[in-house]
Amino acid sequence: MPILDQFKLEGKVALVTGCKRGIGLAMAVALAEAGADIIGVSASLESTGSDAERAVTATGRRFRAYRCDFSKRDALYDFIHRVAAECPPVDILVNNAGMILRRPAAEHPDSSWDQVMNVNLDAPFILGREIGRGMLERGAGKIIFTASLLSFQGGVTVPGYAASKGAIAQLTMALSNEWAGRGVCVNAIAPGYIATDNTEALRADGARSSAILSRIPAGRWGATADLKGATVFLASPASDYVTGTILTVDGGWMGR
């Protein structure tokens, strides 16, 4: 197969969590531009007329919208059952939905810890297990987790987020170890400092923003579009021998 054809996703169905805005929206659009139909889900995603729907359908691909609060276990299972009943089999799962709550560790309440873990770790594992089971039965599939630079570093005042993203990196490798030989590739993308809602507080803090930029060899905050190439690569046949890896898209941060 010619190399550019290996990046095409025609006939594939991708489920993208956290697709309403930011990195998830960019990932969903990238997969649609490569040819995949999209099942999109976010906690507050509009049933019709969302930015995600408009961007995906503009590529000529189909978009199915769902709303689910991943911090609630019953809602998560209801969503999984609806997708199984209403949608074609999922070929590509992008476990992107996440949240961050900033409090010093000594003041970090149980409620914040539990909410972050439910959304950032428990829901991705359950989705990976349930959707992955069908991929294993078919002998093919791609799962992409959104990790973080805090999969490698501890961060400051975000103990729950750092713990959850460290666990996502380990989960990526654990699932890959079991599933790679059965046709299912499991990888993660670790975005660097990307200009999104999650980093708004950092970008608004002049001292922190300057300190961050001084360490990024590329000399800028990342854009959500910077994640599109990595997403299509890990979702496509071009990455069939890539599994169990955490791919950093960070402007060189981790190499500094």
Side-chain angles (χ1 to χ4, degrees):
M1 184 186 300
I3 186 59
L4 291 182
D5 289 345
Q6 293 183 36
F7 290 86
K8 294 180 179 179
L9 299 174
E10 283 90 350
K12 301 297 184 181
V13 174
L15 193 165
V16 183
T17 72
C19 73
K20 182 174 180 177
R21 58 183 178 268
I23 290 172
L25 175 58
M27 289 173 155
V29 173
L31 295 171
E33 289 173 340
D37 290 328
I38 306 298
I39 303 166
V41 57
S42 288
S44 59
L45 184 65
E46 301 90 341
S47 58
T48 60
S50 67
D51 290 343
E53 179 182 32
R54 286 193 292 269
V56 167
T57 56
T59 71
R61 309 316 306 174
R62 183 171 181 179
F63 183 80
R64 296 174 173 86
Y66 290 87
R67 181 179 293 186
C68 181
D69 180 351
F70 285 166
S71 70
K72 296 179 169 56
R73 189 69 57 88
D74 289 345
L76 173 61
Y77 277 108
D78 180 64
F79 165 68
I80 292 169
H81 295 150
R82 288 183 63 195
V83 168
E86 300 170 3
C87 301
V90 174
D91 303 294
I92 302 156
L93 170 62
V94 180
N95 259 320
N96 168 73
M99 65 179 302
I100 188 167
L101 295 175
R102 299 179 184 278
R103 292 287 293 275
E107 303 167 15
H108 203 76
D110 290 354
S111 58
S112 293
W113 177 274
D114 291 343
Q115 188 177 6
V116 169
M117 287 296 171
N118 286 340
V119 174
N120 290 10
L121 181 58
D122 296 353
F125 168 67
I126 291 168
L127 279 167
R129 183 189 64 203
E130 298 301 307
I131 302 296
R133 188 178 294 119
M135 294 177 177
L136 292 169
E137 291 171 355
R138 297 188 298 275
K142 301 277 187 168
I143 297 176
I144 304 168
F145 291 96
T146 296
S148 169
L149 294 183
L150 297 195
S151 297
F152 311 100
Q153 301 171 326
V156 179
T157 71
V158 287
Y161 182 84
S164 70
K165 291 303 184 177
I168 284 293
Q170 293 299 120
L171 178 60
T172 298
M173 293 183 281
L175 295 183
S176 174
N177 288 343
E178 292 192 37
W179 295 353
R182 300 175 64 184
V184 178
C185 294
V186 185
N187 293 287
I189 297 173
Y193 284 92
I194 309 296
T196 66
D197 292 349
N198 276 356
T199 59
E200 185 175 0
L202 292 177
R203 288 181 286 118
D205 183 327
R208 287 294 306 281
S209 182
S210 295
I212 288 167
L213 284 172
S214 71
R215 178 174 164 164
I216 301 173
R220 65 174 176 87
W221 286 79
T224 57
D226 290 321
L227 282 300
K228 294 174 75 172
T231 303
V232 171
F233 170 62
L234 291 178
S236 72
S239 64
D240 280 351
Y241 199 60
V242 178
T243 188
T245 195
I246 295 87
L247 174 60
T248 56
V249 181
D250 64 353
W253 174 280
M254 288 302 296
R256 189 64 176 260

